[in-house]
Amino acid sequence: GQQLNQSPQSMFIQEGEDVSMNCTSSSIFNTWLWYKQDPGEGPVLLIALYKAGELTSNGRLTAQFGITRKDSFLNISASIPSDVGIYFCAGQMTAFNKFYFGSGTKLNVKP
Amino acid sequence: EAQVTQNPRYLITVTGKKLTVTCSQNMNHEYMSWYRQDPGLGLRQIYYSMNVEVTDKGDVPEGYKVSRKEKRNFPLILESPSPNQTSLYFCASSLRGRARDTQYFGPGTRLTVL
C-alpha cells in the first residue's frame, strides 16, 4: 500500500513555541488532511487541503498542500498544553477512494 | 448527538475464536470505514463501504470481513483471530466518502488476541 512518511515522530517543546511537522509521499495525492488524536479517542479532522499550493489556517494551525502534490506541512503557532496529542497526515488520491495515513507525530508541550 | 459508536471498547480473546466488533452511526452517512492503528504505522484502512451492500478492500483486508446490510451499521468480523490482529480499531463514517466530506471517527476498540 501507499506509504506516507511523517516527521518528526515525536516532539518535546515548551509552551509558547511554534511547531512544524511534515508528510511526504512517493505518490501524488489530490487531497491532504491533517487530524489530531487525543489520548483514548479517535482522530478529529483539523484541516483539509484540496489544491496544490493551497495554504489554509484554522486558528493557530496552518497547513500547506505542497506544489508537487506529494507533500504537506502543518505548523502550530504559540503552542499550549492542550495541543498535546498525536497529529496524523492523511491523503486521498481521487474523489472517491481509500484514505492513507502517516505514522503520526506525537507532540508533548511542557507548561 | 451526532456520533459513531463502537462496541466493545475493549476485548481480550484467544486465537481462533470468532468475534465481531460493531459500529453504528446516526448521521445517515453513506460511507463507512474500518481502520487499525498500530504503533509506528499510523492508521491503515481495512475495509470501506460506499453504501448498503457495497464494500471494498482497503490496504490491509486479510483476516477481516465486513458487511453492510443497513446504512447505519458496519460490523467488522474476525473469523479466526490471530495475535497479529492485536490492535486498536477505529470505525469512521462520512457523508459520501468524498475528499470534501469530513470523516468522523468512533472512540476505538482495543483488541488483544492471545
Side-chain angles (χ1 to χ4, degrees), chain A residues 6 21 32-38 42-47 61 74 85-91 99-101 104-105, chain B residues 35 43 92 99 101-105:
Chain A
Q6 190 172 345
M21 58 192 78
W32 283 96
L33 307 165
W34 285 92
Y35 288 84
K36 183 192 178 200
Q37 183 180 31
D38 290 325
V44 174
L45 182 67
L46 297 173
I47 292 180
L61 279 61
L74 176 69
I86 304 177
Y87 292 80
F88 290 102
C89 62
F99 289 86
Y100 300 94
F101 280 74
T105 294
Chain B
Y35 297 87
L43 284 87
D101 296 329
T102 299
Q103 200 164 183
Y104 296 90
F105 284 79

PDB file of all heavy atoms in Angstrom, chain A residues 6 21 32-38 42-47 61 74 85-91 99-101 104-105, chain B residues 35 43 92 99 101-105:
ATOM      1  N   GLN A   6       5.884  10.556   7.693  1.00  0.00           N
ATOM      2  CA  GLN A   6       5.593  11.718   8.522  1.00  0.00           C
ATOM      3  C   GLN A   6       6.735  11.949   9.488  1.00  0.00           C
ATOM      4  O   GLN A   6       7.244  11.008  10.104  1.00  0.00           O
ATOM      5  CB  GLN A   6       4.290  11.490   9.295  1.00  0.00           C
ATOM      6  CG  GLN A   6       3.757  12.716   9.999  1.00  0.00           C
ATOM      7  CD  GLN A   6       2.372  12.500  10.582  1.00  0.00           C
ATOM      8  OE1 GLN A   6       1.678  11.548  10.249  1.00  0.00           O
ATOM      9  NE2 GLN A   6       1.966  13.405  11.469  1.00  0.00           N
ATOM     10  N   MET A  21       5.625  20.211  11.339  1.00  0.00           N
ATOM     11  CA  MET A  21       5.728  18.805  11.006  1.00  0.00           C
ATOM     12  C   MET A  21       5.363  18.649   9.542  1.00  0.00           C
ATOM     13  O   MET A  21       4.696  19.513   8.960  1.00  0.00           O
ATOM     14  CB  MET A  21       4.828  17.943  11.897  1.00  0.00           C
ATOM     15  CG  MET A  21       3.371  18.295  11.850  1.00  0.00           C
ATOM     16  SD  MET A  21       2.412  17.475  13.163  1.00  0.00           S
ATOM     17  CE  MET A  21       2.795  18.477  14.597  1.00  0.00           C
ATOM     18  N   TRP A  32      -5.049  16.436   0.859  1.00  0.00           N
ATOM     19  CA  TRP A  32      -4.266  16.208   2.072  1.00  0.00           C
ATOM     20  C   TRP A  32      -5.106  16.631   3.267  1.00  0.00           C
ATOM     21  O   TRP A  32      -5.780  17.673   3.235  1.00  0.00           O
ATOM     22  CB  TRP A  32      -2.965  17.017   2.061  1.00  0.00           C
ATOM     23  CG  TRP A  32      -1.900  16.445   1.187  1.00  0.00           C
ATOM     24  CD1 TRP A  32      -1.604  16.795  -0.093  1.00  0.00           C
ATOM     25  CD2 TRP A  32      -0.975  15.405   1.544  1.00  0.00           C
ATOM     26  NE1 TRP A  32      -0.549  16.043  -0.556  1.00  0.00           N
ATOM     27  CE2 TRP A  32      -0.149  15.189   0.422  1.00  0.00           C
ATOM     28  CE3 TRP A  32      -0.766  14.643   2.696  1.00  0.00           C
ATOM     29  CZ2 TRP A  32       0.874  14.233   0.412  1.00  0.00           C
ATOM     30  CZ3 TRP A  32       0.248  13.707   2.687  1.00  0.00           C
ATOM     31  CH2 TRP A  32       1.056  13.504   1.557  1.00  0.00           C
ATOM     32  N   LEU A  33      -5.062  15.810   4.310  1.00  0.00           N
ATOM     33  CA  LEU A  33      -5.835  16.068   5.518  1.00  0.00           C
ATOM     34  C   LEU A  33      -4.908  15.998   6.721  1.00  0.00           C
ATOM     35  O   LEU A  33      -3.944  15.233   6.736  1.00  0.00           O
ATOM     36  CB  LEU A  33      -6.943  15.015   5.672  1.00  0.00           C
ATOM     37  CG  LEU A  33      -7.872  14.814   4.469  1.00  0.00           C
ATOM     38  CD1 LEU A  33      -8.657  13.516   4.609  1.00  0.00           C
ATOM     39  CD2 LEU A  33      -8.815  15.993   4.325  1.00  0.00           C
ATOM     40  N   TRP A  34      -5.210  16.799   7.715  1.00  0.00           N
ATOM     41  CA  TRP A  34      -4.481  16.731   8.987  1.00  0.00           C
ATOM     42  C   TRP A  34      -5.472  16.483  10.110  1.00  0.00           C
ATOM     43  O   TRP A  34      -6.495  17.172  10.233  1.00  0.00           O
ATOM     44  CB  TRP A  34      -3.697  18.023   9.246  1.00  0.00           C
ATOM     45  CG  TRP A  34      -2.470  18.121   8.390  1.00  0.00           C
ATOM     46  CD1 TRP A  34      -2.359  18.716   7.172  1.00  0.00           C
ATOM     47  CD2 TRP A  34      -1.176  17.561   8.689  1.00  0.00           C
ATOM     48  NE1 TRP A  34      -1.074  18.575   6.691  1.00  0.00           N
ATOM     49  CE2 TRP A  34      -0.329  17.879   7.604  1.00  0.00           C
ATOM     50  CE3 TRP A  34      -0.645  16.839   9.772  1.00  0.00           C
ATOM     51  CZ2 TRP A  34       1.009  17.488   7.569  1.00  0.00           C
ATOM     52  CZ3 TRP A  34       0.678  16.463   9.729  1.00  0.00           C
ATOM     53  CH2 TRP A  34       1.495  16.793   8.642  1.00  0.00           C
ATOM     54  N   TYR A  35      -5.168  15.456  10.937  1.00  0.00           N
ATOM     55  CA  TYR A  35      -6.010  15.067  12.061  1.00  0.00           C
ATOM     56  C   TYR A  35      -5.213  15.192  13.356  1.00  0.00           C
ATOM     57  O   TYR A  35      -3.987  15.079  13.367  1.00  0.00           O
ATOM     58  CB  TYR A  35      -6.438  13.601  11.936  1.00  0.00           C
ATOM     59  CG  TYR A  35      -7.455  13.304  10.867  1.00  0.00           C
ATOM     60  CD1 TYR A  35      -7.056  13.087   9.555  1.00  0.00           C
ATOM     61  CD2 TYR A  35      -8.807  13.211  11.174  1.00  0.00           C
ATOM     62  CE1 TYR A  35      -7.987  12.793   8.569  1.00  0.00           C
ATOM     63  CE2 TYR A  35      -9.743  12.914  10.205  1.00  0.00           C
ATOM     64  CZ  TYR A  35      -9.322  12.708   8.908  1.00  0.00           C
ATOM     65  OH  TYR A  35     -10.254  12.409   7.931  1.00  0.00           O
ATOM     66  N   LYS A  36      -5.967  15.343  14.453  1.00  0.00           N
ATOM     67  CA  LYS A  36      -5.365  15.270  15.783  1.00  0.00           C
ATOM     68  C   LYS A  36      -6.090  14.186  16.579  1.00  0.00           C
ATOM     69  O   LYS A  36      -7.326  14.085  16.526  1.00  0.00           O
ATOM     70  CB  LYS A  36      -5.488  16.601  16.529  1.00  0.00           C
ATOM     71  CG  LYS A  36      -4.807  16.555  17.894  1.00  0.00           C
ATOM     72  CD  LYS A  36      -5.163  17.753  18.733  1.00  0.00           C
ATOM     73  CE  LYS A  36      -4.492  17.616  20.105  1.00  0.00           C
ATOM     74  NZ  LYS A  36      -5.137  18.452  21.117  1.00  0.00           N
ATOM     75  N   GLN A  37      -5.295  13.392  17.299  1.00  0.00           N
ATOM     76  CA  GLN A  37      -5.862  12.350  18.151  1.00  0.00           C
ATOM     77  C   GLN A  37      -5.482  12.623  19.597  1.00  0.00           C
ATOM     78  O   GLN A  37      -4.299  12.629  19.943  1.00  0.00           O
ATOM     79  CB  GLN A  37      -5.350  10.967  17.729  1.00  0.00           C
ATOM     80  CG  GLN A  37      -5.952   9.831  18.519  1.00  0.00           C
ATOM     81  CD  GLN A  37      -5.429   8.477  18.078  1.00  0.00           C
ATOM     82  OE1 GLN A  37      -4.290   8.346  17.640  1.00  0.00           O
ATOM     83  NE2 GLN A  37      -6.250   7.451  18.182  1.00  0.00           N
ATOM     84  N   ASP A  38      -6.488  12.844  20.431  1.00  0.00           N
ATOM     85  CA  ASP A  38      -6.253  12.981  21.864  1.00  0.00           C
ATOM     86  C   ASP A  38      -6.198  11.593  22.492  1.00  0.00           C
ATOM     87  O   ASP A  38      -6.767  10.643  21.952  1.00  0.00           O
ATOM     88  CB  ASP A  38      -7.363  13.793  22.521  1.00  0.00           C
ATOM     89  CG  ASP A  38      -7.309  15.259  22.125  1.00  0.00           C
ATOM     90  OD1 ASP A  38      -6.184  15.777  21.948  1.00  0.00           O
ATOM     91  OD2 ASP A  38      -8.379  15.873  21.979  1.00  0.00           O
ATOM     92  N   GLY A  42     -10.715   8.903  19.116  1.00  0.00           N
ATOM     93  CA  GLY A  42     -10.453   8.773  17.694  1.00  0.00           C
ATOM     94  C   GLY A  42      -9.939  10.089  17.123  1.00  0.00           C
ATOM     95  O   GLY A  42     -10.073  11.141  17.729  1.00  0.00           O
ATOM     96  N   PRO A  43      -9.312  10.028  15.952  1.00  0.00           N
ATOM     97  CA  PRO A  43      -8.799  11.244  15.307  1.00  0.00           C
ATOM     98  C   PRO A  43      -9.924  12.221  14.971  1.00  0.00           C
ATOM     99  O   PRO A  43     -11.046  11.814  14.660  1.00  0.00           O
ATOM    100  CB  PRO A  43      -8.137  10.723  14.034  1.00  0.00           C
ATOM    101  CG  PRO A  43      -7.875   9.281  14.294  1.00  0.00           C
ATOM    102  CD  PRO A  43      -8.997   8.823  15.180  1.00  0.00           C
ATOM    103  N   VAL A  44      -9.595  13.497  15.013  1.00  0.00           N
ATOM    104  CA  VAL A  44     -10.533  14.561  14.654  1.00  0.00           C
ATOM    105  C   VAL A  44      -9.897  15.415  13.575  1.00  0.00           C
ATOM    106  O   VAL A  44      -8.720  15.789  13.690  1.00  0.00           O
ATOM    107  CB  VAL A  44     -10.874  15.432  15.884  1.00  0.00           C
ATOM    108  CG1 VAL A  44     -11.720  16.618  15.482  1.00  0.00           C
ATOM    109  CG2 VAL A  44     -11.603  14.600  16.940  1.00  0.00           C
ATOM    110  N   LEU A  45     -10.642  15.715  12.541  1.00  0.00           N
ATOM    111  CA  LEU A  45     -10.107  16.496  11.420  1.00  0.00           C
ATOM    112  C   LEU A  45      -9.802  17.929  11.853  1.00  0.00           C
ATOM    113  O   LEU A  45     -10.630  18.611  12.473  1.00  0.00           O
ATOM    114  CB  LEU A  45     -11.117  16.519  10.272  1.00  0.00           C
ATOM    115  CG  LEU A  45     -10.674  17.256   9.016  1.00  0.00           C
ATOM    116  CD1 LEU A  45      -9.509  16.522   8.352  1.00  0.00           C
ATOM    117  CD2 LEU A  45     -11.836  17.391   8.035  1.00  0.00           C
ATOM    118  N   LEU A  46      -8.594  18.389  11.482  1.00  0.00           N
ATOM    119  CA  LEU A  46      -8.178  19.756  11.783  1.00  0.00           C
ATOM    120  C   LEU A  46      -8.273  20.643  10.545  1.00  0.00           C
ATOM    121  O   LEU A  46      -8.840  21.727  10.577  1.00  0.00           O
ATOM    122  CB  LEU A  46      -6.732  19.774  12.286  1.00  0.00           C
ATOM    123  CG  LEU A  46      -6.430  19.048  13.587  1.00  0.00           C
ATOM    124  CD1 LEU A  46      -4.925  19.025  13.828  1.00  0.00           C
ATOM    125  CD2 LEU A  46      -7.150  19.691  14.747  1.00  0.00           C
ATOM    126  N   ILE A  47      -7.641  20.181   9.478  1.00  0.00           N
ATOM    127  CA  ILE A  47      -7.549  20.982   8.256  1.00  0.00           C
ATOM    128  C   ILE A  47      -7.610  20.043   7.061  1.00  0.00           C
ATOM    129  O   ILE A  47      -7.020  18.965   7.090  1.00  0.00           O
ATOM    130  CB  ILE A  47      -6.227  21.790   8.223  1.00  0.00           C
ATOM    131  CG1 ILE A  47      -6.228  22.877   9.310  1.00  0.00           C
ATOM    132  CG2 ILE A  47      -6.013  22.437   6.859  1.00  0.00           C
ATOM    133  CD1 ILE A  47      -4.961  23.722   9.345  1.00  0.00           C
ATOM    134  N   LEU A  61      -3.355  26.970  13.755  1.00  0.00           N
ATOM    135  CA  LEU A  61      -2.841  25.932  12.868  1.00  0.00           C
ATOM    136  C   LEU A  61      -2.855  26.430  11.425  1.00  0.00           C
ATOM    137  O   LEU A  61      -3.826  27.041  10.981  1.00  0.00           O
ATOM    138  CB  LEU A  61      -3.690  24.667  12.962  1.00  0.00           C
ATOM    139  CG  LEU A  61      -3.448  23.703  14.107  1.00  0.00           C
ATOM    140  CD1 LEU A  61      -3.678  24.322  15.470  1.00  0.00           C
ATOM    141  CD2 LEU A  61      -4.308  22.463  13.947  1.00  0.00           C
ATOM    142  N   LEU A  74       2.309  21.038   8.336  1.00  0.00           N
ATOM    143  CA  LEU A  74       1.426  21.593   9.352  1.00  0.00           C
ATOM    144  C   LEU A  74       2.261  22.393  10.331  1.00  0.00           C
ATOM    145  O   LEU A  74       3.274  21.897  10.826  1.00  0.00           O
ATOM    146  CB  LEU A  74       0.685  20.489  10.106  1.00  0.00           C
ATOM    147  CG  LEU A  74      -0.207  20.959  11.268  1.00  0.00           C
ATOM    148  CD1 LEU A  74      -1.418  21.735  10.744  1.00  0.00           C
ATOM    149  CD2 LEU A  74      -0.671  19.777  12.119  1.00  0.00           C
ATOM    150  N   GLY A  85      -0.913  15.689  21.865  1.00  0.00           N
ATOM    151  CA  GLY A  85      -1.644  14.624  21.191  1.00  0.00           C
ATOM    152  C   GLY A  85      -0.820  14.082  20.045  1.00  0.00           C
ATOM    153  O   GLY A  85       0.356  14.402  19.899  1.00  0.00           O
ATOM    154  N   ILE A  86      -1.451  13.269  19.229  1.00  0.00           N
ATOM    155  CA  ILE A  86      -0.793  12.725  18.048  1.00  0.00           C
ATOM    156  C   ILE A  86      -1.417  13.369  16.820  1.00  0.00           C
ATOM    157  O   ILE A  86      -2.653  13.372  16.679  1.00  0.00           O
ATOM    158  CB  ILE A  86      -0.923  11.192  17.956  1.00  0.00           C
ATOM    159  CG1 ILE A  86      -0.373  10.535  19.224  1.00  0.00           C
ATOM    160  CG2 ILE A  86      -0.170  10.679  16.728  1.00  0.00           C
ATOM    161  CD1 ILE A  86      -0.539   9.021  19.241  1.00  0.00           C
ATOM    162  N   TYR A  87      -0.589  13.883  15.951  1.00  0.00           N
ATOM    163  CA  TYR A  87      -1.053  14.527  14.721  1.00  0.00           C
ATOM    164  C   TYR A  87      -0.772  13.591  13.550  1.00  0.00           C
ATOM    165  O   TYR A  87       0.335  13.103  13.387  1.00  0.00           O
ATOM    166  CB  TYR A  87      -0.352  15.868  14.529  1.00  0.00           C
ATOM    167  CG  TYR A  87      -0.778  16.885  15.566  1.00  0.00           C
ATOM    168  CD1 TYR A  87      -0.235  16.859  16.843  1.00  0.00           C
ATOM    169  CD2 TYR A  87      -1.741  17.848  15.273  1.00  0.00           C
ATOM    170  CE1 TYR A  87      -0.644  17.766  17.815  1.00  0.00           C
ATOM    171  CE2 TYR A  87      -2.154  18.767  16.236  1.00  0.00           C
ATOM    172  CZ  TYR A  87      -1.599  18.710  17.496  1.00  0.00           C
ATOM    173  OH  TYR A  87      -2.009  19.606  18.456  1.00  0.00           O
ATOM    174  N   PHE A  88      -1.805  13.359  12.757  1.00  0.00           N
ATOM    175  CA  PHE A  88      -1.683  12.491  11.595  1.00  0.00           C
ATOM    176  C   PHE A  88      -1.940  13.277  10.320  1.00  0.00           C
ATOM    177  O   PHE A  88      -2.879  14.071  10.253  1.00  0.00           O
ATOM    178  CB  PHE A  88      -2.705  11.355  11.635  1.00  0.00           C
ATOM    179  CG  PHE A  88      -2.467  10.323  12.691  1.00  0.00           C
ATOM    180  CD1 PHE A  88      -3.203  10.330  13.868  1.00  0.00           C
ATOM    181  CD2 PHE A  88      -1.522   9.326  12.507  1.00  0.00           C
ATOM    182  CE1 PHE A  88      -2.999   9.371  14.847  1.00  0.00           C
ATOM    183  CE2 PHE A  88      -1.307   8.361  13.485  1.00  0.00           C
ATOM    184  CZ  PHE A  88      -2.045   8.390  14.646  1.00  0.00           C
ATOM    185  N   CYS A  89      -1.129  13.008   9.320  1.00  0.00           N
ATOM    186  CA  CYS A  89      -1.476  13.462   7.988  1.00  0.00           C
ATOM    187  C   CYS A  89      -2.202  12.308   7.295  1.00  0.00           C
ATOM    188  O   CYS A  89      -2.046  11.139   7.676  1.00  0.00           O
ATOM    189  CB  CYS A  89      -0.243  13.854   7.193  1.00  0.00           C
ATOM    190  SG  CYS A  89       0.919  12.498   6.904  1.00  0.00           S
ATOM    191  N   ALA A  90      -2.993  12.640   6.317  1.00  0.00           N
ATOM    192  CA  ALA A  90      -3.696  11.617   5.543  1.00  0.00           C
ATOM    193  C   ALA A  90      -3.875  12.142   4.130  1.00  0.00           C
ATOM    194  O   ALA A  90      -3.954  13.346   3.907  1.00  0.00           O
ATOM    195  CB  ALA A  90      -5.046  11.271   6.163  1.00  0.00           C
ATOM    196  N   GLY A  91      -3.933  11.220   3.181  1.00  0.00           N
ATOM    197  CA  GLY A  91      -4.109  11.619   1.799  1.00  0.00           C
ATOM    198  C   GLY A  91      -5.145  10.762   1.108  1.00  0.00           C
ATOM    199  O   GLY A  91      -5.394   9.616   1.508  1.00  0.00           O
ATOM    200  N   PHE A  99      -8.286   6.007   1.968  1.00  0.00           N
ATOM    201  CA  PHE A  99      -7.514   7.011   2.684  1.00  0.00           C
ATOM    202  C   PHE A  99      -6.220   6.372   3.178  1.00  0.00           C
ATOM    203  O   PHE A  99      -6.209   5.228   3.627  1.00  0.00           O
ATOM    204  CB  PHE A  99      -8.307   7.551   3.882  1.00  0.00           C
ATOM    205  CG  PHE A  99      -9.460   8.425   3.494  1.00  0.00           C
ATOM    206  CD1 PHE A  99     -10.687   7.881   3.188  1.00  0.00           C
ATOM    207  CD2 PHE A  99      -9.301   9.795   3.430  1.00  0.00           C
ATOM    208  CE1 PHE A  99     -11.764   8.691   2.834  1.00  0.00           C
ATOM    209  CE2 PHE A  99     -10.370  10.616   3.079  1.00  0.00           C
ATOM    210  CZ  PHE A  99     -11.601  10.051   2.782  1.00  0.00           C
ATOM    211  N   TYR A 100      -5.122   7.141   3.090  1.00  0.00           N
ATOM    212  CA  TYR A 100      -3.832   6.669   3.566  1.00  0.00           C
ATOM    213  C   TYR A 100      -3.345   7.628   4.638  1.00  0.00           C
ATOM    214  O   TYR A 100      -3.387   8.848   4.453  1.00  0.00           O
ATOM    215  CB  TYR A 100      -2.821   6.594   2.414  1.00  0.00           C
ATOM    216  CG  TYR A 100      -3.247   5.656   1.321  1.00  0.00           C
ATOM    217  CD1 TYR A 100      -3.938   6.130   0.211  1.00  0.00           C
ATOM    218  CD2 TYR A 100      -2.977   4.286   1.410  1.00  0.00           C
ATOM    219  CE1 TYR A 100      -4.342   5.266  -0.788  1.00  0.00           C
ATOM    220  CE2 TYR A 100      -3.382   3.421   0.407  1.00  0.00           C
ATOM    221  CZ  TYR A 100      -4.065   3.910  -0.683  1.00  0.00           C
ATOM    222  OH  TYR A 100      -4.469   3.055  -1.663  1.00  0.00           O
ATOM    223  N   PHE A 101      -2.869   7.062   5.751  1.00  0.00           N
ATOM    224  CA  PHE A 101      -2.441   7.871   6.887  1.00  0.00           C
ATOM    225  C   PHE A 101      -0.933   7.765   7.094  1.00  0.00           C
ATOM    226  O   PHE A 101      -0.322   6.732   6.829  1.00  0.00           O
ATOM    227  CB  PHE A 101      -3.134   7.404   8.166  1.00  0.00           C
ATOM    228  CG  PHE A 101      -4.539   7.921   8.317  1.00  0.00           C
ATOM    229  CD1 PHE A 101      -5.568   7.397   7.555  1.00  0.00           C
ATOM    230  CD2 PHE A 101      -4.830   8.925   9.211  1.00  0.00           C
ATOM    231  CE1 PHE A 101      -6.866   7.871   7.684  1.00  0.00           C
ATOM    232  CE2 PHE A 101      -6.129   9.404   9.363  1.00  0.00           C
ATOM    233  CZ  PHE A 101      -7.148   8.879   8.597  1.00  0.00           C
ATOM    234  N   GLY A 104       2.172   9.375  12.178  1.00  0.00           N
ATOM    235  CA  GLY A 104       1.846  10.243  13.308  1.00  0.00           C
ATOM    236  C   GLY A 104       3.041  10.970  13.892  1.00  0.00           C
ATOM    237  O   GLY A 104       4.171  10.474  13.847  1.00  0.00           O
ATOM    238  N   THR A 105       2.787  12.163  14.427  1.00  0.00           N
ATOM    239  CA  THR A 105       3.771  12.935  15.182  1.00  0.00           C
ATOM    240  C   THR A 105       3.198  13.155  16.569  1.00  0.00           C
ATOM    241  O   THR A 105       2.142  13.762  16.718  1.00  0.00           O
ATOM    242  CB  THR A 105       4.047  14.299  14.521  1.00  0.00           C
ATOM    243  OG1 THR A 105       4.674  14.099  13.264  1.00  0.00           O
ATOM    244  CG2 THR A 105       4.933  15.162  15.419  1.00  0.00           C
TER     245      THR A 105
ATOM    246  N   TYR B  35     -10.462   1.044  10.321  1.00  0.00           N
ATOM    247  CA  TYR B  35      -9.013   1.235  10.346  1.00  0.00           C
ATOM    248  C   TYR B  35      -8.457   0.483  11.549  1.00  0.00           C
ATOM    249  O   TYR B  35      -9.136   0.274  12.546  1.00  0.00           O
ATOM    250  CB  TYR B  35      -8.660   2.713  10.524  1.00  0.00           C
ATOM    251  CG  TYR B  35      -9.103   3.619   9.420  1.00  0.00           C
ATOM    252  CD1 TYR B  35     -10.375   4.178   9.416  1.00  0.00           C
ATOM    253  CD2 TYR B  35      -8.232   3.940   8.379  1.00  0.00           C
ATOM    254  CE1 TYR B  35     -10.783   5.021   8.402  1.00  0.00           C
ATOM    255  CE2 TYR B  35      -8.627   4.792   7.361  1.00  0.00           C
ATOM    256  CZ  TYR B  35      -9.905   5.329   7.388  1.00  0.00           C
ATOM    257  OH  TYR B  35     -10.299   6.180   6.382  1.00  0.00           O
ATOM    258  N   LEU B  43      -2.599   4.850  11.048  1.00  0.00           N
ATOM    259  CA  LEU B  43      -3.857   4.154  10.770  1.00  0.00           C
ATOM    260  C   LEU B  43      -3.796   3.533   9.385  1.00  0.00           C
ATOM    261  O   LEU B  43      -3.357   4.171   8.427  1.00  0.00           O
ATOM    262  CB  LEU B  43      -5.043   5.127  10.821  1.00  0.00           C
ATOM    263  CG  LEU B  43      -5.506   5.556  12.205  1.00  0.00           C
ATOM    264  CD1 LEU B  43      -4.725   6.757  12.688  1.00  0.00           C
ATOM    265  CD2 LEU B  43      -6.994   5.880  12.176  1.00  0.00           C
ATOM    266  N   ALA B  92     -15.159   4.656  11.152  1.00  0.00           N
ATOM    267  CA  ALA B  92     -15.357   6.046  10.764  1.00  0.00           C
ATOM    268  C   ALA B  92     -16.472   6.122   9.732  1.00  0.00           C
ATOM    269  O   ALA B  92     -16.766   5.146   9.042  1.00  0.00           O
ATOM    270  CB  ALA B  92     -14.068   6.643  10.192  1.00  0.00           C
ATOM    271  N   ALA B  99     -13.526  13.426  -0.854  1.00  0.00           N
ATOM    272  CA  ALA B  99     -12.441  14.101  -0.150  1.00  0.00           C
ATOM    273  C   ALA B  99     -12.969  15.267   0.689  1.00  0.00           C
ATOM    274  O   ALA B  99     -12.440  15.583   1.745  1.00  0.00           O
ATOM    275  CB  ALA B  99     -11.414  14.603  -1.148  1.00  0.00           C
ATOM    276  N   ASP B 101     -15.766  15.483   2.256  1.00  0.00           N
ATOM    277  CA  ASP B 101     -16.674  15.067   3.340  1.00  0.00           C
ATOM    278  C   ASP B 101     -15.862  14.737   4.593  1.00  0.00           C
ATOM    279  O   ASP B 101     -15.019  13.842   4.567  1.00  0.00           O
ATOM    280  CB  ASP B 101     -17.478  13.836   2.920  1.00  0.00           C
ATOM    281  CG  ASP B 101     -18.388  14.110   1.746  1.00  0.00           C
ATOM    282  OD1 ASP B 101     -18.854  15.257   1.623  1.00  0.00           O
ATOM    283  OD2 ASP B 101     -18.633  13.170   0.967  1.00  0.00           O
ATOM    284  N   THR B 102     -16.111  15.422   5.656  1.00  0.00           N
ATOM    285  CA  THR B 102     -15.390  15.171   6.909  1.00  0.00           C
ATOM    286  C   THR B 102     -15.666  13.757   7.393  1.00  0.00           C
ATOM    287  O   THR B 102     -16.820  13.316   7.452  1.00  0.00           O
ATOM    288  CB  THR B 102     -15.829  16.166   7.992  1.00  0.00           C
ATOM    289  OG1 THR B 102     -15.535  17.483   7.548  1.00  0.00           O
ATOM    290  CG2 THR B 102     -15.104  15.898   9.307  1.00  0.00           C
ATOM    291  N   GLN B 103     -14.574  13.057   7.742  1.00  0.00           N
ATOM    292  CA  GLN B 103     -14.706  11.701   8.250  1.00  0.00           C
ATOM    293  C   GLN B 103     -14.745  11.781   9.775  1.00  0.00           C
ATOM    294  O   GLN B 103     -13.850  12.370  10.392  1.00  0.00           O
ATOM    295  CB  GLN B 103     -13.515  10.858   7.766  1.00  0.00           C
ATOM    296  CG  GLN B 103     -13.755   9.384   7.801  1.00  0.00           C
ATOM    297  CD  GLN B 103     -12.742   8.608   6.977  1.00  0.00           C
ATOM    298  OE1 GLN B 103     -12.847   7.408   6.872  1.00  0.00           O
ATOM    299  NE2 GLN B 103     -11.755   9.237   6.384  1.00  0.00           N
ATOM    300  N   TYR B 104     -15.765  11.176  10.389  1.00  0.00           N
ATOM    301  CA  TYR B 104     -15.925  11.163  11.837  1.00  0.00           C
ATOM    302  C   TYR B 104     -15.547   9.783  12.363  1.00  0.00           C
ATOM    303  O   TYR B 104     -16.018   8.766  11.852  1.00  0.00           O
ATOM    304  CB  TYR B 104     -17.376  11.484  12.225  1.00  0.00           C
ATOM    305  CG  TYR B 104     -17.798  12.878  11.831  1.00  0.00           C
ATOM    306  CD1 TYR B 104     -18.375  13.117  10.588  1.00  0.00           C
ATOM    307  CD2 TYR B 104     -17.609  13.948  12.692  1.00  0.00           C
ATOM    308  CE1 TYR B 104     -18.754  14.395  10.213  1.00  0.00           C
ATOM    309  CE2 TYR B 104     -17.988  15.229  12.329  1.00  0.00           C
ATOM    310  CZ  TYR B 104     -18.556  15.445  11.088  1.00  0.00           C
ATOM    311  OH  TYR B 104     -18.928  16.714  10.722  1.00  0.00           O
ATOM    312  N   PHE B 105     -14.707   9.785  13.389  1.00  0.00           N
ATOM    313  CA  PHE B 105     -14.204   8.533  13.932  1.00  0.00           C
ATOM    314  C   PHE B 105     -14.920   8.167  15.230  1.00  0.00           C
ATOM    315  O   PHE B 105     -15.299   9.040  16.026  1.00  0.00           O
ATOM    316  CB  PHE B 105     -12.706   8.638  14.210  1.00  0.00           C
ATOM    317  CG  PHE B 105     -11.859   8.569  12.977  1.00  0.00           C
ATOM    318  CD1 PHE B 105     -11.701   9.671  12.154  1.00  0.00           C
ATOM    319  CD2 PHE B 105     -11.224   7.383  12.628  1.00  0.00           C
ATOM    320  CE1 PHE B 105     -10.918   9.601  11.003  1.00  0.00           C
ATOM    321  CE2 PHE B 105     -10.450   7.302  11.486  1.00  0.00           C
ATOM    322  CZ  PHE B 105     -10.292   8.407  10.673  1.00  0.00           C
TER     323      PHE B 105
END
